[in-house]
Amino acid sequence: MEFRVPDEHRMIRESVRDFCEAEIAPIAQEIEDEHRFPDEIFDQLAELDVMGVPVDEEYGGLGGDQLMYALVAEELGRVSGAIGLSYAAHVSLGSKPIEMFGTEEQKERWLRPLAEGEHMGAWALTEPGSGSDASDMDTRARKDTPEQSSASSETLEASQNGDEWVLDGTKQFITNANVAGSILVKAVTDPDAGYDGISTFIVDPDADDGFEVTTVWDKLGLNASPTCEIRFDDCRLPEDRLLGEEGDGWRQTTKTLDGGRISIAALSVGLAQGAYEAARSYATEREQFGQPISEFDAIRDKLVAMDRKIERSRLLTHKAAWTYDEGEDCTRLSSLAKLDASETAREVAEEAIQTLGGYGYTTDFAPQRFYRDAKLMEIGEGTSEIQHLVIGRELGL
């Protein structure tokens, strides 16, 4: 049993940490206040060659594993939950499914620019009425022969040798949708087939007619990471935009979420670590009654509890990532990691605010931002309640 991070992984982690301290930390609150997606940060992450960490080098990625990716996500979360969230959605949800399920042509056309950081990726599953039952979707895709007068030039060229898919529906709470170069969209292709009637399509937001971003949500936190409602109205896609086989969309979803939950767990560990470090720094410098407040039992016990929870969540996250990399079934572990780490992030951030007292409630100090960001970790990629359901099923309960 080896707990030491491999040398190559440690080098990547240290490189990303240095970048985060120099480039992200100084603007983390600013971009949150401005609700601004920081394109320049992601351009620089592309220069660091980490926009496709777990993607094969053949398709422009770094060729790393899930553990290396988790380390990068943690470092980003340690300074900015918003940047970490957009990054995780780009890699786990927007990029990896193309590598896992796409054709060689799709990987060259869509995966390579994602892995190289040319543009962002997104993934559209949730709908306004679906809630935790993500499989209950109204978005539909049907086969149709294009009308020459209404089809785009790209669609016409691609459809000369086949039919088109026509996409109609609305997706809700989609990360990166208004900054993405490609979006993987889940739609029902056979309403009578249940889970086996769901398929995945690649949508080009810039080129495909019938696609619209209808809302960019203001949120409790994570406002530098755009969360959108998107609508498809007679959105015509070439036949080769189907990812994998027709009816294979739900199986793809469950496999994608195994990796996605590990990334959210890692991001949560990063948020908790950032909040802890802010609290520890303040507690060792702030004096009351002639001594640093960290020397008082009440504050010291808080800091010890924070460290304990973070270490537990990190170990569970790394175990889930290792299991994923070994090719073993990691559904239970990824859900456990996500459940535990997301709760740790919220609890640690809350205690960090309490440690700073009144200052912790102001935007001059980071804990309030970590606290607001952490709450989504218990909701996105399956709520904590859904994680209990998944884990219970894995336990045969």
Side-chain angles (χ1 to χ4, degrees):
M1 185 177 293
E2 179 63 74
F3 290 99
R4 183 173 54 193
V5 175
D7 290 344
E8 183 182 8
H9 293 58
R10 188 172 63 252
M11 289 174 60
I12 292 292
R13 180 179 64 188
E14 291 173 356
S15 175
V16 173
R17 179 174 296 176
D18 290 344
F19 171 78
C20 288
E21 291 290 345
E23 303 296 336
I24 301 179
I27 66 169
Q29 188 63 49
E30 174 187 315
I31 60 176
E32 180 67 16
D33 292 342
E34 296 175 353
H35 293 206
R36 179 176 71 85
F37 178 78
D39 294 281
E40 73 279 8
I41 294 298
F42 287 93
D43 290 341
Q44 291 171 286
L45 288 172
E47 292 175 6
L48 283 177
D49 198 19
V50 295
M51 290 297 282
V53 168
V55 175
D56 196 287
E57 292 176 288
E58 181 181 356
Y59 305 111
L62 189 60
D65 55 16
Q66 193 75 8
L67 177 59
M68 182 182 289
Y69 168 45
L71 294 173
V72 173
E74 179 182 335
E75 291 303 319
L76 293 173
R78 181 173 159 267
V79 292
S80 172
I83 290 175
L85 180 65
S86 278
Y87 176 80
H90 162 81
V91 177
S92 290
L93 306 181
S95 302
K96 281 298 288 184
I98 302 176
E99 182 178 38
M100 290 189 291
F101 310 116
T103 64
E104 288 300 314
E105 291 77 12
Q106 288 172 333
K107 292 175 186 178
E108 280 297 326
R109 170 64 182 86
W110 301 103
L111 178 59
R112 181 175 296 281
L114 292 169
E116 293 179 349
E118 182 180 331
H119 58 63
M120 299 293 294
W123 194 67
L125 171 65
T126 304
E127 298 191 356
S130 62
S132 293
D133 184 7
S135 64
D136 180 21
M137 61 183 68
D138 294 325
T139 300
R140 298 287 188 266
R142 58 183 173 82
K143 279 281 189 72
D144 192 26
T145 301
E147 295 180 5
Q148 301 295 311
S149 59
S150 61
S152 67
S153 58
E154 180 188 354
T155 302
L156 284 172
E157 181 180 352
S159 62
Q160 286 175 352
N161 297 318
D163 293 335
E164 291 177 354
W165 289 99
V166 183
L167 201 58
D168 289 284
T170 301
K171 295 292 184 178
Q172 187 65 283
F173 304 137
I174 310 305
T175 303
N176 296 341
N178 65 334
V179 296
S182 59
I183 304 176
L184 302 183
V185 180
K186 304 293 176 176
V188 174
T189 48
D190 185 351
D192 299 323
Y195 287 109
D196 293 331
I198 298 171
S199 302
T200 309
F201 298 90
I202 306 171
V203 171
D204 184 338
D206 295 324
D208 294 335
D209 295 334
F211 168 84
E212 181 184 7
V213 175
T214 54
T215 304
V216 180
W217 288 96
D218 289 332
K219 308 185 294 290
L220 176 68
L222 299 161
N223 283 298
S225 173
T227 302
C228 308
E229 178 182 273
I230 59 179
R231 185 174 300 155
F232 305 95
D233 183 10
D234 198 38
C235 181
R236 292 180 174 269
L237 308 175
E239 196 169 23
D240 62 6
R241 297 287 192 85
L242 176 68
L243 184 67
E245 299 296 325
E246 183 178 347
D248 206 26
W250 193 250
R251 184 187 68 83
Q252 295 173 1
T253 296
T254 57
K255 187 171 179 60
T256 298
L257 288 177
D258 280 343
R261 286 168 180 158
I262 295 171
S263 71
I264 296 301
L267 176 57
S268 298
V269 171
L271 288 167
Q273 185 68 38
Y276 162 76
E277 290 175 2
R280 186 182 186 279
S281 175
Y282 180 87
T284 55
E285 295 175 5
R286 174 73 165 173
E287 291 191 358
Q288 292 285 281
F289 306 103
Q291 67 187 73
I293 64 172
S294 61
E295 295 180 8
F296 292 99
D297 289 350
I299 300 302
R300 184 185 60 242
D301 289 351
K302 286 184 187 296
L303 295 171
V304 169
M306 292 181 200
D307 182 63
R308 172 178 59 83
K309 291 177 181 179
I310 293 168
E311 191 67 17
R312 179 192 69 206
S313 295
R314 181 179 289 117
L315 287 170
L316 188 51
T317 299
H318 287 190
K319 182 178 181 181
W322 178 86
T323 303
Y324 182 101
D325 290 331
E326 290 295 302
E328 299 177 12
D329 183 357
C330 67
T331 298
R332 171 179 160 272
L333 281 173
S334 66
S335 287
L336 276 172
K338 195 268 186 186
L339 174 63
D340 188 77
S342 62
E343 293 184 351
T344 288
R346 174 182 49 79
E347 292 167 1
V348 168
E350 183 176 14
E351 287 290 64
I353 292 175
Q354 194 71 14
T355 301
L356 271 68
Y359 290 114
Y361 202 63
T362 71
T363 58
D364 286 346
F365 293 83
Q368 49 76 33
R369 191 179 70 252
F370 289 119
Y371 182 66
R372 290 185 286 110
D373 292 351
K375 185 56 201 174
L376 183 72
M377 303 303 117
E378 297 179 291
I379 299 172
E381 303 246 12
T383 63
S384 294
E385 291 77 12
I386 290 297
Q387 301 314 312
H388 281 96
L389 174 63
V390 171
I391 296 164
R393 286 175 176 170
E394 291 297 305
L395 295 175
L397 303 176

